[in-house]
Amino acid sequence: MTVLAFDLDGTLSDPAQGITTSINYALENLRVSTIAPHNLTQYIGPPLSRTFAQLLNTENEAVISQAVALYRERYRTIGYTENILYPGIPDLLKELTNQGHRLYVVTAKPTDIAQAVIDYFALRPYFIDVWGCRLDRNKAELLRNIQEQEHTDLWMIGDRASDMAAGQGFTRCLGVLWGYGSLAELEQAGADALIHTPSELLKLI
């Protein structure tokens, strides 16, 4: 039995439409020029505060917080449904559960939004719990809490460098290549293995 922590965006589902449209919703309401969606996919995965600090070229916490609040205003109502499961994910989760592995979601999203996405896709039965971040709790802390709770090996599975960084110090960090992180990004971030398809991930575990 292995404990597996899955990132959400770019790992379980492709949230591009909802995220890029909600980013532009925030920019528009801040009276800042919107950005072509294909130029915003690089921001899928990292924390929103970092994203808006870069997009707005500011370190002003009040401005960043306002941008995040505007983003979530749209994402909470409709953006989370503008989302597509990657092919093979339901079968992967079902088989891992059948094999006795214990699955968690660990994401930079707030917990309530992450749970809404998981419920939208009817994936909740496969997971022990869905854990999101907040200002005083990052992914590494979530993983540490899971490991302390489970008392066994823990693998972090994600598509971005931030996932690999969070998983350093745990048993293994697996980078998936169907999301938004490149091979070079994941290799440089120290991924223990790179996975091309959900079926390949199943064979490795």
Side-chain angles (χ1 to χ4, degrees), residues 4 18 59 107 115 127 156 166 170 172 183 196:
L4 307 171
E59 296 181 2
T107 175
Q115 290 174 341
F127 293 102
M156 179 66 207
F170 300 96
R172 300 196 77 184
L183 184 149
H196 294 82

Side-chain angles (χ1 to χ4, degrees), residues 106-107 132-145 166:
V106 172
T107 175
C133 293
R134 55 181 186 243
L135 292 178
D136 62 344
R137 189 172 67 171
N138 59 36
K139 278 188 179 181
E141 290 172 296
L142 296 179
L143 293 173
R144 190 174 302 111
N145 290 341

